[in-house]
């Protein structure tokens, strides 16, 4: 079976449905319904965290899933599908794509990303791999290792890129990523308006992921509360 | 016990957490978690539909609730807490406020609104009553019947007001409601940006209810999908 994920999401919206353990909507049942909301609106795919959420979502909607598994380890700073264990766990759900941290930082247990990619290609040859990158160096490394998709996910979410926003300077960083990437780029991270989503696609991104501004009501509500509190 | 609802919501945001039977998030459990999201963001109160949702929400967050019960009857067009049966059901949950349709249209079984109000004042003297109105005539009637709160909820949602939006003409309709109402006005209906919420309060509304643009992800997602589809 050919993995036609990239065809399905071309020029379309992917919706991230995530609620971590400390969030009010934390629940695989709720995330499966959130995915149904995304499906009804016309999303092309879902991005989701953890084996149980990915499975619940795949049981609920007929949409391809980008799966990841956020796990904190004490011996390394990265947390998005950090080791081969989580990579295998997500791939075993049948998710079309597995996303993982590609930020050049150390992985738990001293694992090497090149080895992880090689193992995944052997064990799950039909599963696409998405690199959640934070910098142009990360994009180069993802190119070198043969990732199928470059995501801008971590831009603004590493110590080195703290405070950076993908929309800064008329999306200058995204333009550089697009120029450098050898494979489809999916814009992700701080895309919080329809206009920004459209801009990312117009610039040449293959697809765009929107999350919090659709599926994290506590953050959406906060924008209202903050405005009202300024009165 | 004095019902201090109006003190608690003064100049603050109320978040409506509703998902009807045909919506992807339909579930009292999900609505209770949605209310928790609203609480964490700093909402002053929750507006919710149905006895089970109101109860689940009151069990989850320490916020006052405006309760209502949407029920369709074949012999009348109104559906927001249309008869004394639903009024009693919601009041019995202990909700601070019960909201009902005040649009001048016939009620099921030929029930009269004046009788409903009188019955509620006798049976639930501490429960505030909110009038979900659609026109200045409705506001007059709510004044006459002694409702505690005037809501603009139904403006744009009756045949006579179809297509109307509370923000039209610089909130002209809302200004007229405020001038006519003898009791606190809560703006509700199509308030879909922090700026509109702030404007409603600045104009003199006691509080403002925001719903879909925070708690209906399928509608929020649709704004993104529509923008992307225009590409």
């Amino acid at each position: 079976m050919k993995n036609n994920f990239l065809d399905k999401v071309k020029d379309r919206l992917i919706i991230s449905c995530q609620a971590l353990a400390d969030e009010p909507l934390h629940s695989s049942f709720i995330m499966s319904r959130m995915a149904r909301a995304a499906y009804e609106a016309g999303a092309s795919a879902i991005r989701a965290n953890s084996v149980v959420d990915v499975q619940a979502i795949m049981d609920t909607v007929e949409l391809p899933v980008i799966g990841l598994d956020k796990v904190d380890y004490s011996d390394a700073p990265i947390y998005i599908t950090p080791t081969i264990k989580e990579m295998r766990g997500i791939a075993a759900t049948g998710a079309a794509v597995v996303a993982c941290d590609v930020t050049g930082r150390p992985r738990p247990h001293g694992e090497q990303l090149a080895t992880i990619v090689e193992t995944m290609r052997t064990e799950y040859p039909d599963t696409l791999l998405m690199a959640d990158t934070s910098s142009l160096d990360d994009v180069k490394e993802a190119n070198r290792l043969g990732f199928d998709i470059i995501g801008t996910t971590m831009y603004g979410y590493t110590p080195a890129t703290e405070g950076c926003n993908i929309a800064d300077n008329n999306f200058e960083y995204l333009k550089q990523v697009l120029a450098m990437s050898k494979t489809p780029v999916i814009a992700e991270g701080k895309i919080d308006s329809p206009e920004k989503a459209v801009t990312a696609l117009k610039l040449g991104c293959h697809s765009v992921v929107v999350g919090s501004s659709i599926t994290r009501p506590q953050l959406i509500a906060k924008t209202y509360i903050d405005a009202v509190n300024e009165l």
Side-chain angles (χ1 to χ4, degrees), chain A:
Chain A
M1 184 191 76
K2 188 177 169 295
N3 188 328
N4 59 356
F5 174 84
L6 285 167
D7 296 337
K8 289 185 177 171
V9 302
K10 174 77 177 142
D11 291 326
R12 296 182 62 195
L13 193 73
I14 299 168
I15 297 184
S16 182
C17 298
Q18 298 185 43
L20 306 187
D22 61 348
E23 294 187 69
L25 300 193
H26 181 66
S27 146
S28 296
F29 168 65
I30 298 179
M31 287 305 104
S32 73
R33 292 296 196 88
M34 198 59 96
R36 188 184 290 176
Y39 171 78
E40 288 185 9
S44 66
I46 304 294
R47 184 169 153 118
N49 171 53
S50 83
V51 167
V52 286
D53 281 15
V54 169
Q55 286 179 329
I57 288 167
M58 290 177 66
D59 286 346
T60 305
V61 292
E62 297 239 0
L63 287 180
V65 172
I66 302 173
L68 56 116
D69 198 3
K70 291 180 176 169
V71 180
D72 289 317
Y73 283 85
S74 58
D75 62 339
I78 71 163
Y79 53 89
I80 299 187
T81 336
T83 77
I84 187 67
K85 178 184 166 192
E86 292 85 28
M87 295 290 285
R88 284 174 168 143
I90 295 296
T93 65
V97 183
V98 177
C100 70
D101 182 289
V102 180
T103 59
R105 295 178 290 171
R107 305 187 97 75
H109 320 325
E111 285 191 19
Q112 297 300 305
L113 185 54
T115 312
I116 291 175
V117 171
E118 195 180 351
T119 305
M120 291 296 290
R121 295 307 191 191
T122 304
E123 296 182 9
Y124 295 95
D126 290 331
T127 305
L128 300 184
L129 300 178
M130 174 171 174
D132 288 353
T133 64
S134 70
S135 70
L136 297 178
D137 280 345
D138 300 342
V139 173
K140 266 188 228 173
E141 180 67 358
N143 281 337
R144 193 179 72 79
L145 294 173
F147 274 83
D148 304 291
I149 299 164
I150 302 287
T152 56
T153 321
M154 297 302 293
Y155 183 64
Y157 295 97
T158 59
T161 62
E162 204 183 321
C164 295
N165 187 307
I166 196 167
D168 287 344
N169 303 316
N170 207 15
F171 290 85
E172 180 56 31
Y173 171 71
L174 181 59
K175 290 173 191 168
Q176 293 179 32
V177 170
L178 285 159
M180 178 170 291
S181 179
K182 294 182 178 165
T183 191
V185 172
I186 295 185
E188 176 173 3
K190 306 186 182 174
I191 309 276
D192 59 3
S193 73
E195 295 70 29
K196 289 182 188 174
V198 165
T199 300
L201 293 177
K202 278 190 178 165
L203 289 174
C205 289
H206 187 87
S207 180
V208 55
V209 176
V210 175
S212 297
S213 71
I214 295 174
T215 61
R216 284 196 162 103
Q218 73 274 24
L219 299 184
I220 306 169
K222 190 73 167 39
T223 66
Y224 282 85
I225 302 286
D226 288 348
V228 166
N229 284 348
E230 275 177 28
L231 268 179

